[in-house]
């Protein structure tokens, strides 16, 4: 069950900002959700990164959203009507901007919002969205914070919690023969959550965590934390970061802690084809041997091929499958409920992912619903099987590595469940 979580000052500040922008119900007495509830058309919006540190994730997530909508409309739409063009806005990697973007999307009368990409950006506006009775689904929020967040039952995610990723990362490190590990992470919900789950898994596996510290991701100099890593006597270092991680990796290499001599590991925030060239433009092979983990992106070849045909210039696929599954799950919930009112179809968000007749496409699932069947949608990212918290009960985690030529490659994928992670 979802239980209330104490709000921090930053969340209250975001709420105050939204109120100042007109976030409260106006004199007309109609919120965005109320305005859209009775029109019979499922309207979707997104708040995803078009600029900022995670801008590289924007194209795959936005294009996958558009691709999912096209696939749904090609199958006759939802409730016999096509989903209109998605209403989009930029999360920008800034809480205030993300909150403003969410407000604009809500004011367009959407029934569900896809996003944000970053856990911290979702936390900047989740109260406003769910408080208005609008469904929110993220394909990439991984912070454990959301499992017990007091969202009134309106928030969902198709990306697995970092409580599932941490143990896979820890096992990868120990399988490589490292038993003294330093952990450094950005000081936000994503960083702290993944640091904690990785630390617990390492210690449960008998490893020694020589240091576990967070840093200010807005800092301009990371020499101090690099020096702490060097002084810690660790055999391996885990860097839980976004774009600022390039500077940290540069510092580690300069300090003689590069991947070639000592194990360096990243997570999904550093999984990028461009990382080797960002760290060392003249010699991308400098990070050769660096490994990491991330929710798997390319385990469904049929979906990958279809998405790349839809968006030929798409180079990054990270979190694209999970985003597609957010859109499809919302559409199936509305179809099952027989209404686009989010206060009604939200009740079907969990049931359509489990305990019914299995189906893997919107069209197939829609036909089963028309036949009066309960469905179990298995997504392009894998079986969802939402728990009561509205998140996957199992996950496929990719172990990636950078080669001598500076190329990103998948080493293997591993299946993990909530029960195994506990």
């Amino acid at each position: 069950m979802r239980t209330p979580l104490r709000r921090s000052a930053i969340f209250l500040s975001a709420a105050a900002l939204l109120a100042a922008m007109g976030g409260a119900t106006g004199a007309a007495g109609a919120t965005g959700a109320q305005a859209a509830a009775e029109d019979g058309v499922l309207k979707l919006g997104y708040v995803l990164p078009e600029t900022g540190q995670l801008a590289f994730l924007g194209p795959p997530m936005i294009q996958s959203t558009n691709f999912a909508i096209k696939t749904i409309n090609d199958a006759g739409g939802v409730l016999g009507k096509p989903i209109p063009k998605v209403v989009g806005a930029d999360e920008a990697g800034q809480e205030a901007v993300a909150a403003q973007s969410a407000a604009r999307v809500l004011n367009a009368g959407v029934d569900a919002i896809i996003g944000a990409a970053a856990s911290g950006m979702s936390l900047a506006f989740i109260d406003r969205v769910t408080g208005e009775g609008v469904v929110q689904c993220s394909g990439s929020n991984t912070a454990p914070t959301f499992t017990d967040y007091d969202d009134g039952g309106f928030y969902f995610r198709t990306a697995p919690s970092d409580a599932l990723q941490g143990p896979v990362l820890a096992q990868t490190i120990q399988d490589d023969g490292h038993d003294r590990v330093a952990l450094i992470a950005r000081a936000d919900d994503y960083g702290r959550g993944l640091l904690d789950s990785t630390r617990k898994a390492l210690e449960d596996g008998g490893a020694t965590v020589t240091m576990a510290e967070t840093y200010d991701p807005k800092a301009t100099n990371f020499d101090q934390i690099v020096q702490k890593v060097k002084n810690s006597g660790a055999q391996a270092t885990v860097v839980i970061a976004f774009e600022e991680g390039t500077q940290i990796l540069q510092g580690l290499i300069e300090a003689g802690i590069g991947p070639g001599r000592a194990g360096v590991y990243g997570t999904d925030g550093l999984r990028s084809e461009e990382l080797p060239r960002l760290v060392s433009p003249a010699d991308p092979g400098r990070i050769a041997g660096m490994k990491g983990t991330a929710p798997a992106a390319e385990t469904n070849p049929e979906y990958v091929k279809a998405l790349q045909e839809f968006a030929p210039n798409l180079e990054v696929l990270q979190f694209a499958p999970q985003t597609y599954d957010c859109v499809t799950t919302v559409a199936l919930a509305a179809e099952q409920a027989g209404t686009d009112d989010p206060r009604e179809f939200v009740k079907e968000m969990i049931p359509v992912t489990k305990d019914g007749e299995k189906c893997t496409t919107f069209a197939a699932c829609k036909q089963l619903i028309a036949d009066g069947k309960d469905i179990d949608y298995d997504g392009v990212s894998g079986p969802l099987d939402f728990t009561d918290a509205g998140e996957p009960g199992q996950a496929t985690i990719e172990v990636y590595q950078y080669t001598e030529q500076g190329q990103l490659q998948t080493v293997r994928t591993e299946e993990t469940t909530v029960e195994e992670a506990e």
Side-chain angles (χ1 to χ4, degrees):
M1 297 295 292
R2 301 175 193 227
T3 55
L5 184 74
R6 180 180 296 175
R7 303 289 197 272
S8 70
I10 190 169
F11 301 152
L12 293 173
S13 296
L17 171 64
L18 288 168
M21 291 170 3
T25 303
T31 65
Q34 291 168 335
E38 304 300 330
D39 65 7
V41 177
L42 182 65
K43 296 180 180 178
L44 302 179
Y46 72 70
V47 180
L48 293 170
E50 297 170 348
T51 61
Q53 288 189 320
L54 294 183
F56 71 97
L57 291 180
M61 300 181 80
I62 293 169
Q63 291 289 8
S64 197
T65 296
N66 292 329
F67 179 47
I69 291 173
K70 180 183 184 300
T71 302
I72 291 164
N73 288 343
D74 287 348
V78 177
L79 307 174
K81 296 179 181 179
I83 298 175
K85 182 179 179 180
V86 66
V87 180
D90 184 14
E91 70 185 69
Q94 300 179 51
E95 288 89 347
V97 175
Q100 292 170 354
S101 292
R104 289 198 302 273
V105 173
L106 283 171
N107 287 338
V110 300
D111 302 304
I113 287 181
I114 307 302
S119 296
M121 299 306 105
S122 280
L123 288 168
F125 61 76
I126 185 174
D127 290 346
R128 167 72 185 273
V129 174
T130 62
E132 288 200 11
V134 170
V135 167
Q136 180 179 347
C137 184
S138 173
S140 58
N141 289 166
T142 59
T145 305
F146 294 101
T147 298
D148 295 322
Y149 197 86
D150 183 16
D151 53 53
F154 282 86
Y155 172 88
F156 303 86
R157 57 176 168 182
T158 50
S161 166
D162 284 327
L164 277 68
Q165 183 181 171
V168 177
L169 177 59
Q171 189 61 56
T172 300
I173 294 167
Q174 291 183 278
D175 285 349
D176 288 344
H178 305 303
D179 58 14
R180 292 179 56 80
V181 185
L183 304 173
I184 55 176
R186 51 187 290 126
D188 60 12
D189 284 83
Y190 164 71
R192 285 187 289 264
L194 191 43
L195 182 149
D196 289 343
S197 65
T198 306
R199 178 177 187 167
K200 179 180 183 301
L202 283 167
E203 292 177 341
D204 287 349
T208 298
V209 176
T210 62
M211 66 173 284
E213 293 196 20
T214 59
Y215 61 84
D216 179 0
K218 297 179 181 178
T220 57
N221 186 296
F222 299 95
D223 291 347
Q224 186 175 11
I225 198 158
V226 168
Q227 188 60 46
K228 286 184 177 181
V229 171
K230 187 172 184 178
N231 295 340
S232 73
Q235 298 170 327
T237 304
V238 175
V239 182
I240 303 170
F242 291 161
E243 188 179 78
E244 79 284 352
T246 60
Q247 293 176 260
I248 296 174
L249 291 172
Q250 289 167 348
L252 291 172
I253 291 171
E254 291 172 4
I257 315 173
R261 193 166 63 84
V264 175
Y265 298 81
T267 56
D268 47 293
L270 285 174
R271 186 194 180 280
S272 170
E273 298 274 0
E274 298 301 313
L275 183 66
R277 280 160 286 282
L278 291 173
V279 174
S280 180
D283 183 11
R286 290 291 297 277
I287 67 168
M290 176 180 169
K291 290 183 179 179
T293 54
E298 300 183 37
T299 58
N300 188 320
E302 184 177 333
Y303 159 77
V304 170
K305 180 182 178 182
L307 176 62
Q308 291 177 329
E309 289 175 352
F310 175 80
N313 297 323
L314 199 60
E315 296 180 355
V316 177
L317 295 177
Q318 191 172 354
F319 294 119
Q322 290 82 5
T323 303
Y324 183 98
D325 286 340
C326 264
V327 177
T328 304
T329 302
V330 169
L332 289 172
E335 191 75 29
Q336 181 72 72
T339 177
D340 68 300
D341 184 342
R343 292 162 297 184
E344 293 300 323
F345 75 70
V346 69
K347 302 170 188 175
E348 301 295 339
M349 287 289 291
I350 293 175
V352 298
T353 70
K354 60 192 294 186
D355 300 333
E357 190 165 334
K358 286 192 178 293
C359 49
T360 58
T361 67
F362 175 80
C365 293
K366 180 181 178 181
Q367 184 59 55
L368 288 174
I369 291 171
D371 293 340
K373 304 286 184 63
D374 290 331
I375 64 167
D376 178 353
Y377 171 59
D378 279 359
V380 297
S381 65
L384 297 176
D385 295 334
F386 278 168
T387 66
D388 289 344
E391 62 189 24
Q394 62 186 68
T396 302
I397 303 297
E398 170 196 18
V399 179
Y400 65 83
Q401 183 174 7
Y402 292 97
T403 70
E404 294 286 348
Q405 293 74 38
Q407 295 178 326
L408 174 63
Q409 64 178 201
T410 299
V411 177
R412 65 181 183 277
T413 59
E414 294 191 17
E415 304 294 329
T416 182
T417 67
V418 171
E419 291 76 13
E420 290 172 347
E422 290 177 346

